[in-house]
Amino acid sequence: MLAAETLSKRDIRKLKAEELKKFFIDHGDKPFRATQVDEWLWKKSAKSFDQMTNLSVATRALLKEHFVINHIHVDKMQRSADGTIKNAVKLHDGLIVESVLIPAEKRITACVSSQVGCSLACKFCATAKLKRQRNLSSDEIYDQVVAIKEQAELFFNRPLTNIVFMGMGEPLLNYSNVTAAIEKITSQKGLGMAMKRITVSTVGIAKMIVKMADDDVKFNLAVSLHDAIDETRSSIMPINDSNPLSELGAALRYWYQKTKRKVTYEYVVWKGINDTEEHVRALLKFCKIIPSKVNLIEYNPIGDGEFRQAADEVLNMYMDLLERNGITTRIRKSRGKDIDAACGQLANK
Ligand code: SAH
């Protein structure tokens, strides 16, 4: 009974400002209530109508009668020995995604999901094994950021400083919801965070990179490259078959022409896959297409034993050759590995 009732009510956050104003007028109240409610819903991230204490009890009851707030719930929280927090986030329809808080000396980063599961089938990634179930709504993306912002304040007494779209899913296959969420996150009516603190990571869908450039987006772009030779890249990332490196390179050139902004390449070095100088040279050549930097990510095993991280000497070879040629290169150690919160481990357990 209650559940059916809840299902029939509209999610108040799906209403346009004008619709909410009209709702209040139709119910004999003042239109500016809509502004108050909007502030509660976004800026103050209210999770219930009862939190809206500057509204009368009668107004709150009216809202409860007509609407629900379909915010996410942190269903389970795990803390790593290194401070990383992994959240299993329950959506209003019961599906689960994961989001991660990553503390560092100078920053606290939220790593958020954009889809339930993923359709890309990268061979080395745990999320790929889940298949894509649906896109997240912009509210569900926003709420993950809010949840982590609250945890940053509660557990670290520090503000959330950065957001990376490196959780589950491919953000550019859910582009309109991702950009709508980012708009709210950066708006003064939302969380007021700076665009330059936000990074969207993509498997490298060329036509979407072109679209982002045309849309003149202001957030940062990261591309999961992992190899710069088509044959190898296709063997580990099936998307490369329909979206080869030549197209990716052309899209990136367009991106740089339009935005004048660097790209970051994410790259894992695996034993027997891309651990020879030929692969480093190919990467170096790809890096020359537009100004870029490289993050060499530590591989996080996903339990099938098929992929293994290359030896440190190989990483050093990458580092030396790239740096000597003017490409800023960093080795990124994993965080939250003990709780399966590291890159590519989401949904492992
Ligand atoms: N679909 C987007 C967002 C996911 S980001 C993208 O592909 O960029 C997750 C990052 O972790 C990607 O760079 C991905 O290639 C990388 N990754 C996936 N599985 C991994 C693993 N097992 N170990 C280390 N990195 C992994």
Side-chain angles (χ1 to χ4, degrees):
M1 167 75 192
L2 228 172
E5 204 174 77
T6 310
L7 280 176
S8 68
K9 291 182 191 176
R10 280 187 82 184
D11 181 353
I12 193 164
R13 291 191 297 179
K14 296 278 183 280
L15 266 69
K16 297 198 173 68
E18 285 313 307
E19 288 178 281
L20 196 55
K21 264 185 203 159
K22 184 171 180 308
F23 172 83
F24 281 115
I25 296 167
D26 289 349
H27 287 84
D29 209 331
K30 310 252 173 4
F32 79 83
R33 295 271 176 255
T35 314
Q36 290 177 306
V37 170
D38 187 84
E39 193 163 283
W40 278 109
L41 288 174
W42 299 107
K43 206 169 188 156
K44 301 182 194 159
S45 319
K47 294 171 184 67
S48 75
F49 294 112
D50 287 325
Q51 282 175 273
M52 305 183 179
T53 45
N54 60 354
L55 302 180
S56 71
V57 173
T59 305
R60 283 183 250 162
L62 177 73
L63 290 172
K64 271 190 258 181
E65 192 188 316
H66 287 86
F67 304 110
V68 287
I69 307 174
N70 275 338
H71 64 87
I72 60 155
H73 290 273
V74 175
D75 198 45
K76 197 171 152 216
M77 194 188 97
Q78 283 171 279
R79 290 192 78 173
S80 158
D82 69 17
T84 301
I85 296 177
K86 179 168 85 166
N87 296 303
V89 162
K90 197 175 218 158
L91 311 173
H92 69 89
D93 55 2
L95 292 173
I96 305 266
V97 292
E98 293 178 327
S99 35
V100 183
L101 177 157
I102 308 154
E105 203 180 314
K106 295 210 177 90
R107 49 170 81 173
I108 290 191
T109 303
C111 174
V112 299
S113 295
S114 55
Q115 298 181 311
V116 187
C118 188
S119 59
L120 295 170
C122 299
K123 300 239 163 82
F124 45 81
C125 179
T127 306
K129 309 227 179 313
L130 287 180
K131 306 285 181 280
R132 175 190 168 280
Q133 304 205 47
R134 70 169 172 86
N135 283 341
L136 294 188
S137 70
S138 58
D139 301 353
E140 289 166 336
I141 296 168
Y142 185 86
D143 287 355
Q144 292 175 67
V145 175
V146 169
I148 291 177
K149 180 180 187 300
E150 289 172 355
Q151 290 173 337
E153 285 154 10
L154 182 66
F155 297 116
F156 298 88
N157 201 17
R158 282 160 55 189
L160 175 66
T161 57
N162 295 68
I163 301 170
V164 294
F165 283 78
M166 297 186 187
M168 298 161 81
E170 168 53 44
L172 300 193
L173 293 179
N174 184 18
Y175 181 73
S176 57
N177 293 345
V178 165
T179 47
I182 292 176
E183 208 159 283
K184 275 277 187 221
I185 292 164
T186 53
S187 158
Q188 285 313 317
K189 286 185 175 173
L191 303 180
M193 289 186 69
M195 277 288 183
K196 62 169 194 255
R197 302 288 193 158
I198 300 178
T199 300
V200 169
S201 175
T202 173
V203 74
I205 299 165
K207 67 169 194 279
M208 293 310 298
I209 293 173
V210 168
K211 172 149 178 59
M212 281 166 58
D214 283 337
D215 289 351
D216 199 20
V217 300
K218 300 288 184 216
F219 45 78
N220 302 303
L221 174 63
V223 172
S224 300
L225 193 61
H226 300 309
D227 206 82
I229 299 174
D230 271 315
E231 199 189 346
T232 308
R233 193 167 192 261
S234 288
S235 72
I236 53 176
M237 301 171 76
I239 181 82
N240 197 70
D241 284 334
S242 55
N243 190 87
L245 289 159
S246 55
E247 277 175 35
L248 178 56
L252 288 166
R253 203 172 283 122
Y254 187 77
W255 161 268
Y256 189 74
Q257 268 168 16
K258 284 252 170 177
T259 68
K260 291 283 170 288
R261 293 213 314 281
K262 267 191 187 182
V263 63
T264 301
Y265 297 123
E266 297 156 274
Y267 198 103
V268 177
V269 189
W270 289 283
K271 213 174 194 152
I273 293 180
N274 54 2
D275 58 354
T276 61
E277 195 176 323
E278 184 197 0
H279 293 270
V280 196
R281 299 244 169 244
L283 173 59
L284 181 58
K285 195 169 161 216
F286 198 85
C287 285
K288 297 265 167 77
I289 298 176
I290 63 166
S292 59
K293 55 183 186 180
V294 173
N295 280 344
L296 296 174
I297 314 174
E298 187 184 343
Y299 179 59
N300 303 304
I302 58 167
D304 57 7
E306 199 185 326
F307 289 86
R308 271 168 307 150
Q309 162 88 29
D312 284 351
E313 299 83 78
V314 183
L315 282 169
N316 292 338
M317 169 179 73
Y318 265 91
M319 197 62 188
D320 282 353
L321 202 70
L322 292 167
E323 285 275 339
R324 255 195 287 128
N325 285 279
I327 311 291
T328 305
T329 308
R330 295 283 168 267
I331 295 179
R332 294 265 180 241
K333 286 277 167 224
S334 276
R335 304 290 306 273
K337 234 176 167 171
D338 53 341
I339 54 166
D340 285 329
C343 296
Q345 290 188 310
L346 299 186
N348 204 11
K349 294 251 164 74

